[in-house]
Amino acid sequence: MSPNLPELLIGLAVSLLRPAPPEAGGDYAAGRVGLMASLLVLASQEAERGAAARIWENAAITELLGDTTSTPAHTTWSELDARNADLRRALIALHIAAEDRGDPELQGRILALYEAMAHARRLELPG
Amino acid sequence: MSLAAALAAYLTRVRETPTAVENLARISGGASRETYRFDAVSGAERLGLILRRDPRGSLIDTDRRVEFLAIASFEGKEVAAPRALWLEEEGAELERPFFIMSRVDGGAAAGPFAPDPYGPHARAIGERFFSIMGAIAREPLVGLPLAGAALAPSPGDCWKWELDHWTAVIDADETHPQPIVRAAIRRLRRDPPPPPARVSVVHGDLRSGNFLHDGAGRILAVLDWEMAHLGDPLEDLAWAMDPLWSRPGDPRVSGMVTPDEALDIWRAASGLEIGSKALDWWRLFASVKGQAIWTSAAKAWADGGMTEPILAFSGWFTARAQDQILSRRLAELGPL
């Protein structure tokens, strides 16, 4: 998943500071501000549950992989995302292997995990 | 030189008459090109025009010649395309490639995620929208400007060309592994769709939000032809039917008509049959294509200095929503 919350907040700050040319005012500027407001609302949802979603997803994939290796605790967004990228790559490989050997039980567990992962990372537009 | 001055200089040259530019204003009009409305004034003559200029970073790399010729292909026809006027692939006075087309006044485009975007006119808009889509599908390719610029796949290759293209986009632009869309791509490759009865023009992004309507049930113009190509006409139908364009809990396609009604209208307008296996394939593909576009948006946002909120929105909110749609569909389909 990209971008992450810290990047988004930096991006919003950059967008607010960027001078607009004269032809980009009026309705266009108003629409841009409205979009940034929506992004801030979504960012509040991510701030509330984004870290928990990553911690849960990393644990769920680790369990599915049967990985018993102990890993250091990850406490920042970038650490969580880096660990998540490793785990997702391993999950993709596991899914391909399950498809290739015709293992419907494992495929079913992986597909259920995908649904749960997408739900945990959901963002909801206001209104 | 300001954009208005550069535009005036260009129009004065190509029109061979002094031309002033008035009321130049950027508008929201697709994230792949900067879009501006303006008046070109020469003496007593005033033309309402639209400028589409390549940005420094964009949602998805598209060929402005193909977009220009796609619009030109449907000028004056039932499809309600604007009039394509000038194309400058080297940028000329504006320094970046652009084209100019006629402006259609008196209408508005709905936000793609707006609740109940067409209100009491939803059915009328839906009937017109899917009729236009069917008209695009039935348009003969012979002599069409777009057909001279876009490669035509064989009917049996339509699916592969598109899936290869959008998979390559994900391969190039992905910055974080995406197991859900990867699983969908593998499923699509293992079970291709039957070939279409004919290769057609595909608009490529025909959905709620990409047309102007008058607020009273009439569609005035179809916009955003930047992903136009030749292929299986079911691609457009499936894209418009993606659950992404409907509010959660609203059973209508893009807030217009029910899925069955949409299929009936399209079938009557296009004169083509809709095979369920083919439509199912293209509907899963639509979500893969969507995720590829949102993946590109995230990369374009980062590469462009994080200054365009629309790219952040597409690469974040829309990508998350698309993952929910894809994962739900994969679970319904079950193991391979």
Side-chain angles (χ1 to χ4, degrees):
Chain A
M1 286 296 137
S2 178
N4 66 25
L5 183 60
E7 293 165 343
L8 273 159
L9 293 174
I10 290 168
L12 285 168
V14 170
S15 299
L16 286 166
L17 290 169
R18 179 187 177 215
E23 62 271 12
D27 290 345
Y28 178 77
R32 207 161 174 270
V33 168
L35 197 53
M36 286 191 275
S38 293
L39 283 166
L40 283 168
V41 171
L42 298 173
S44 76
Q45 297 171 16
E46 186 76 345
E48 173 64 20
R49 58 190 185 215
R54 283 163 172 77
I55 291 166
W56 170 84
E57 183 179 311
N58 287 355
I61 298 175
T62 300
E63 183 183 344
L64 194 70
L65 294 170
D67 184 357
T68 56
T69 313
S70 120
T71 54
H74 303 100
T75 56
T76 66
W77 287 88
S78 56
E79 287 174 349
L80 284 167
D81 282 341
R83 176 66 177 153
N84 183 254
D86 291 340
L87 288 167
R88 283 183 166 212
R89 277 188 279 271
L91 179 60
I92 291 169
L94 181 70
H95 195 173
I96 292 171
E99 289 169 351
D100 288 347
R101 68 170 182 264
D103 183 342
E105 192 275 332
L106 180 55
Q107 288 182 58
R109 287 171 61 203
I110 293 171
L111 293 175
L113 177 59
Y114 289 163
E115 258 198 298
M117 286 162 54
H119 180 72
R121 291 187 184 243
R122 73 194 177 281
L123 295 166
E124 291 154 315
L125 279 179
Chain B
M1 186 186 293
S2 71
L3 178 57
L7 198 48
Y10 171 75
L11 289 169
T12 295
R13 178 169 64 81
V14 296
R15 301 182 74 222
E16 298 179 340
T17 184
T19 303
V21 167
E22 297 181 2
N23 303 319
L24 177 68
R26 188 164 178 184
I27 57 174
S28 302
S32 301
R33 312 239 188 279
E34 293 175 1
T35 307
Y36 300 85
R37 56 177 295 141
F38 66 97
D39 296 330
V41 182
S42 302
E45 182 189 40
R46 178 177 292 269
L47 299 174
L49 300 174
I50 293 289
L51 164 69
R52 299 264 285 162
R53 183 167 73 153
D54 280 21
R56 293 193 170 85
S58 76
L59 180 59
I60 192 90
D61 293 330
T62 56
D63 185 331
R64 84 278 316 162
R65 168 170 283 276
V66 166
E67 181 179 1
F68 184 82
L69 293 177
I71 294 168
S73 294
F74 290 97
E75 178 188 328
K77 297 179 181 173
E78 177 189 353
V79 172
R83 187 169 176 219
L85 295 170
W86 296 282
L87 168 69
E88 293 293 343
E89 294 182 279
E90 301 303 321
E93 282 86 343
L94 272 60
E95 297 177 349
R96 281 181 261 151
F98 69 91
F99 67 86
I100 294 171
M101 58 185 175
S102 64
R103 190 174 78 224
V104 177
D105 289 321
F113 304 114
D116 199 16
Y118 308 108
H121 305 294
R123 170 169 294 277
I125 290 286
E127 286 176 358
R128 192 75 199 106
F129 175 81
F130 286 102
S131 292
I132 287 172
M133 186 186 289
I136 293 172
R138 75 160 188 266
E139 184 71 26
L141 298 184
V142 177
L144 214 58
L146 178 64
L151 296 172
S154 69
D157 279 345
C158 290
W159 71 271
K160 190 171 187 307
W161 281 33
E162 288 306 303
L163 187 58
D164 285 352
H165 171 75
W166 292 108
T167 302
V169 168
I170 294 174
D171 290 344
D173 292 350
E174 182 180 78
T175 56
H176 195 81
Q178 300 184 89
I180 298 170
V181 73
R182 295 291 181 181
I185 291 169
R186 293 195 301 277
R187 178 174 279 275
L188 290 169
R189 284 202 190 284
R190 283 186 185 223
D191 194 13
R198 52 164 298 189
V199 172
S200 299
V201 173
V202 177
H203 177 285
D205 196 12
L206 193 49
R207 57 164 172 81
S208 181
N210 273 348
F211 58 84
L212 297 178
H213 70 104
D214 68 355
R218 278 202 318 142
I219 291 179
L220 303 178
V222 173
L223 309 173
D224 289 342
W225 293 79
E226 62 231 46
M227 289 194 281
H229 58 276
L230 305 180
D232 189 324
L234 290 184
E235 183 184 341
D236 269 343
L237 189 56
W239 178 245
M241 295 177 75
D242 194 273
L244 185 67
W245 312 120
S246 300
R247 292 288 282 196
D250 187 341
R252 299 172 300 175
V253 176
S254 297
M256 299 180 196
V257 292
T258 68
D260 283 346
E261 289 169 335
L263 298 182
D264 286 344
I265 298 164
W266 187 89
R267 199 182 281 115
S270 68
L272 297 167
E273 286 305 313
I274 304 168
S276 60
K277 178 175 163 56
L279 184 62
D280 284 349
W281 192 94
W282 285 104
R283 290 195 71 177
L284 182 60
F285 167 80
S287 284
V288 168
K289 171 179 165 178
Q291 197 58 281
I293 294 170
W294 320 135
T295 299
S296 270
K299 183 167 188 296
W301 178 75
D303 290 351
M306 304 191 289
T307 57
E308 288 298 336
I310 184 62
L311 296 176
F313 187 86
S314 299
W316 187 44
F317 166 78
T318 317
R320 297 275 184 98
Q322 199 77 72
D323 249 1
Q324 284 189 272
I325 292 165
L326 267 171
S327 64
R328 203 176 302 130
R329 183 64 185 141
L330 288 172
E332 288 168 0
L333 292 167
L336 285 172

